[in-house]
Amino acid sequence: MKYYIIAGEASGDLHGSNLIKALKKQDENADIRCWGGDLMQQAGGTLAKHYKELAFMGFIEVILNLNAIFKNIKFCKQDIAAFNPDAIIFIDYSGFNLRIAKWAKENNFLTNYYISPQIWASREGRIDKIKATVDHMYVILPFEKEFYEKKHNYPVNFVGHPLLDAINNRPELNESNFRAENSIAPTKPIIALLPGSRKQEVQKMLSLMLSLTNDFSEHEFVIAGAPSLDKNFYAEFLTDPNVKFVQNKTYDLLSIASAALVTSGTATLETALFKVPQVVCYKANWISYQIAKRIITLEYISLVNLIMQKEVVKELIQDDFTKQNLKKELNLILDGAARTKQLASYDELITKLGGPGASAEAASLIIANAKIP
């Protein structure tokens, strides 16, 4: 069968790549065309558009790039029509994907959504659009099934979280070699810095994170470079000899880190699954933040706290994201009771998410639904 997959960010590329592997394993005749990145292409998808051309962050940034967005929407519709897939699979990236889903449904394509739009966080009214345009929804967070089925009478499948697959499928890391290859001191404990995957995020977050290097000189700070950004972009942040950089090796870095400073997003959950104590940080464009504050109804912004429904990791948001607060919270998780408590909560979190197998389960359901007349 023919599958058309649309992912618009680095995390979607990761989960899309594992989904492609599962589809190809279960359907030996799978022909897959996709929007995504290098990982999806390496897994066997034919790349129609790279997500690096699509990443616009925040309300203001989206408005400034409306012309490019509309051109991408037009191209996507034309490309789907030409490919004529048996199933379309949307991965997160809701602003774009829900527009395409409406068109796809009107044109009698089978629509599948893997990794739900976060309507439980904001703009819940989008449920009507989802009901009208998405034939099958596969959710990855345990509370999402109850949200859709009990609150909105919309049946969904909980398949588990694909990060468990991504982490479990990794080859074992040789720490000594990794440190040597990346000029990291052989024995210094590492503080991993995950400042986000978009230029605007990194510029807002990283300078303040790096202001702590003199206060924690017995540690080595290592920046996790995002696959969506070139190494040259990070050059201005690499003037301190106590700061190192790795590109597109976040999981390797987390597997040996003692603690992490993490920009809110999927990275907070990834860090928890590697059992690295963390402080969650977030600071946006002032106008974007003011708008977001008025439409997002959640008590927490990190996936860790949302899944656990309590504060497991400290969140320093907007005005609370200061050097003084960051230093205090980092000290707390490097040693002592706060560190022990956070690690114990991570074990509870992993239990809630279920075991690995999300990619295979989602692929199996997509194939089965595509075969139904």
Side-chain angles (χ1 to χ4, degrees):
M1 288 191 292
K2 296 167 73 174
Y3 308 88
Y4 198 101
I5 305 176
I6 305 174
E9 298 179 305
S11 60
D13 182 36
L14 172 64
H15 302 319
S17 70
N18 286 321
L19 180 63
I20 288 172
K21 291 172 187 175
L23 286 169
K24 284 187 168 290
K25 186 174 183 179
Q26 296 181 39
D27 177 3
E28 61 182 18
N29 296 313
D31 182 6
I32 300 171
R33 187 166 175 83
C34 57
W35 291 44
D38 299 343
L39 296 177
M40 292 173 73
Q41 189 172 40
Q42 290 162 12
T46 300
L47 205 60
K49 181 79 73 170
H50 201 290
Y51 69 80
K52 289 182 180 180
E53 301 177 50
L54 311 173
F56 305 115
M57 173 194 171
F59 299 97
I60 301 302
E61 291 79 8
V62 167
I63 290 170
L64 293 174
N65 289 281
L66 278 176
N67 189 47
I69 292 168
F70 286 131
K71 282 184 178 179
N72 285 333
I73 290 171
K74 181 179 179 181
F75 168 74
C76 186
K77 292 175 181 178
Q78 293 172 339
D79 200 53
I80 291 172
F83 186 62
N84 193 29
D86 297 290
I88 301 173
I89 305 156
F90 305 106
I91 299 181
D92 202 1
Y93 197 50
S94 62
F96 185 90
N97 275 334
L98 286 176
R99 286 176 176 268
I100 301 299
K102 180 177 184 296
W103 171 87
K105 186 67 175 175
E106 290 169 351
N107 287 272
N108 299 313
F109 289 104
L110 179 69
T111 55
N112 301 267
Y113 218 120
Y114 177 48
I115 307 180
S116 162
Q118 296 179 350
I119 66 169
W120 37 266
S122 66
R123 294 178 287 160
E124 193 170 333
R126 289 178 291 171
I127 183 62
D128 294 330
K129 185 180 290 186
I130 289 171
K131 283 183 173 182
T133 62
V134 177
D135 295 313
H136 303 285
M137 175 74 77
Y138 315 104
V139 301
I140 64 171
L141 298 171
F143 62 79
E144 290 179 317
K145 186 171 177 65
E146 182 176 353
F147 170 84
Y148 277 111
E149 295 187 343
K150 291 190 176 180
K151 188 171 184 180
H152 292 292
N153 193 32
Y154 177 64
V156 301
N157 292 281
F158 172 62
V159 296
H161 206 291
L163 279 179
L164 293 168
D165 290 337
I167 291 170
N168 286 350
N169 292 338
R170 293 177 61 256
E172 187 174 350
L173 179 72
N174 184 310
E175 181 175 350
S176 297
N177 289 348
F178 178 78
R179 285 177 175 266
E181 289 166 3
N182 294 283
S183 303
I184 300 170
T187 57
K188 262 190 172 184
I190 292 171
I191 296 173
L193 305 181
L194 282 64
S197 59
R198 301 181 180 98
K199 288 183 179 180
Q200 299 99 320
E201 283 180 323
V202 175
Q203 288 166 339
K204 284 184 170 62
M205 310 302 299
L206 196 47
S207 293
L208 186 52
M209 290 178 174
L210 290 172
S211 70
L212 299 182
T213 55
N214 290 334
D215 297 296
F216 296 89
S217 56
E218 70 279 13
H219 291 78
E220 192 133 61
F221 286 70
V222 184
I223 301 168
S228 56
L229 299 174
D230 293 330
K231 183 177 180 180
N232 291 338
F233 170 75
Y234 294 91
E236 65 180 288
F237 303 106
L238 299 175
T239 57
D240 186 332
N242 196 36
V243 177
K244 299 299 188 295
F245 175 85
V246 298
Q247 179 80 41
N248 201 17
K249 295 178 182 177
T250 301
Y251 283 9
D252 290 343
L253 176 61
L254 286 173
S255 71
I256 61 172
S258 296
L261 306 179
V262 186
T263 295
S264 177
T266 304
T268 63
L269 183 56
E270 291 171 318
T271 303
L273 294 180
F274 276 97
K275 299 187 178 182
V276 180
Q278 64 182 296
V279 182
V280 176
C281 314
Y282 183 76
K283 189 164 189 174
N285 171 289
W286 186 86
I287 296 175
S288 294
Y289 176 71
Q290 293 303 317
I291 296 171
K293 190 168 66 169
R294 286 158 175 78
I295 64 172
I296 294 176
T297 57
L298 299 174
E299 186 175 357
Y300 304 108
I301 65 168
S302 70
L303 280 174
V304 176
N305 291 345
L306 286 168
I307 294 167
M308 294 297 291
Q309 299 181 321
K310 64 180 181 180
E311 186 182 77
V312 171
V313 296
K314 184 67 178 179
E315 299 179 352
L316 299 179
I317 306 170
Q318 208 68 6
D319 292 340
D320 289 333
F321 181 51
T322 65
K323 179 179 178 180
Q324 182 180 3
N325 288 341
L326 199 57
K327 179 180 176 181
K328 173 190 170 186
E329 298 301 331
L330 181 55
N331 266 316
L332 287 173
I333 61 169
L334 283 174
D335 193 21
R339 180 182 180 88
T340 302
K341 183 179 179 182
Q342 196 172 119
L343 290 171
S345 294
Y346 284 171
D347 291 333
E348 295 177 46
L349 172 74
I350 292 169
T351 300
K352 276 198 170 191
L353 289 174
S359 306
E361 178 68 11
S364 177
L365 290 166
I366 289 166
I367 293 169
N369 289 325
K371 289 180 178 178
I372 297 172

